[in-house]
Amino acid sequence: MESEGQRTLSTPSAVLASLLCKRAKLHEQLRNIEKQVYEMETSYLQDPSQCGNVLKGFEGFLSSSKNTTLLKRSRKFQPEDRLFSLSSTTSPAAEEHAAG
């Protein structure tokens, strides 16, 4: 039993065109989501107000409470620290990692 959408697209070329259009929209949505993850991950890794993070641990919590200058500077991180961005082969971080 065919659905309504498939009955209106009777020719294979029309079906193919529809699927390619849907694929392009999904690809664009994926790129937008990956860019958001990349930007949020960058913000998280550089956040100077935190005393550690999930990837590196929270060992700096005790020492940074005594020294407020550590809170004011942004944190340096390695590209390999991008756990979430590097989990996708098409993310901006994965493309940077492959190029560099």
Side-chain angles (χ1 to χ4, degrees):
M1 186 168 163
E2 295 181 29
S3 69
E4 278 296 311
Q6 290 178 340
R7 275 190 236 144
T8 59
L9 301 174
S10 58
T11 64
S13 61
V15 172
L16 180 61
S18 172
L19 291 174
L20 288 174
C21 181
K22 185 175 181 179
R23 180 178 181 250
K25 287 179 185 176
L26 290 172
H27 184 66
E28 184 62 29
Q29 287 177 347
L30 176 65
R31 296 292 287 175
N32 289 336
I33 291 170
E34 287 177 336
K35 185 177 178 189
Q36 287 177 341
V37 168
Y38 179 82
E39 291 169 355
M40 289 164 45
E41 189 175 45
T42 300
S43 173
Y44 176 73
L45 291 171
Q46 288 181 337
D47 186 10
S49 66
Q50 57 178 312
C51 300
N53 63 44
V54 190
L55 301 172
K56 295 287 185 179
F58 293 93
E59 288 82 22
F61 180 73
L62 295 174
S63 64
S64 67
S65 62
K66 297 174 187 172
N67 190 355
T68 59
T69 58
L70 291 174
L71 297 175
K72 294 179 182 175
R73 66 178 181 191
S74 68
R75 296 186 180 268
K76 304 243 187 228
F77 64 92
Q78 300 297 320
E80 295 81 26
D81 292 342
R82 294 185 175 279
L83 178 69
F84 300 105
S85 296
L86 290 176
S87 66
S88 173
T89 59
T90 58
S91 74
E95 291 172 357
E96 284 178 4
H97 191 67

